[in-house]
Amino acid sequence: MPIRPENLHRYPRDWNEISARIRFERAGGRCECTGHCGLTHPGGRCPAVHEQIHPDTGSMVGLTTAHLNHTPEDVRKTNLLAACQLCHLRVDHGHHRVTRSLTLAARAAAAGQLGLLPETTLTRTEPPTPPRPTRGRARAAALHQLPFPEPEM
């Protein structure tokens, strides 16, 4: 995931090298999620592989590096997780909800609108885990593989 310009100063200068080591040396180019995202993966680990079609979403996988504690300054190996886009977004879901709520409240306050909830009531929540079929699951088709009807003459 791209780093926002306003957060760039929070990452170490050698972030690209650290991220590459986690994604390709430690993880071998495969998502390391073993349930951090709230999903139960077949075989215990997410099957998504970098630059291949994701088995669940049908999109091309771009392996990312997630901070488990959502703190970019903390680059300890135990805090970093090589993750596909799906797992990374699910790991960050609760953090994004809280951050978005705080941002919207700050914008409203700057515009002179009173807030409804004090900031202390905002807590991180995890998304509900959707049910996953266990057997006979058809592989998701990529958009370019979908059949299109022939034009009628």
Side-chain angles (χ1 to χ4, degrees), residues 91-143:
V91 164
D92 287 350
H93 176 76
H95 177 71
H96 288 172
R97 285 184 62 180
V98 170
T99 304
R100 183 175 192 280
S101 296
L102 294 172
T103 299
L104 292 176
R107 283 184 193 161
Q113 182 177 352
L114 297 175
L116 296 175
L117 299 173
E119 290 182 14
T120 56
T121 61
L122 298 174
T123 58
R124 179 178 176 179
T125 57
E126 295 298 326
T129 303
R132 289 177 57 118
T134 55
R135 292 184 184 204
R137 180 171 60 179
R139 189 170 190 168
L143 184 59

Side-chain angles (χ1 to χ4, degrees), residues 3 8 11-27 63-65 67 75-77 80 82:
I3 299 171
L8 197 55
Y11 289 81
R13 291 178 191 231
D14 61 342
W15 171 247
N16 289 336
E17 292 81 22
I18 293 169
S19 177
R21 274 196 308 270
I22 295 297
R23 293 178 292 141
F24 302 113
E25 290 178 22
R26 186 178 83 184
L63 210 55
T64 64
T65 303
H67 290 84
V75 293
R76 293 173 294 136
K77 290 178 183 177
L80 301 177

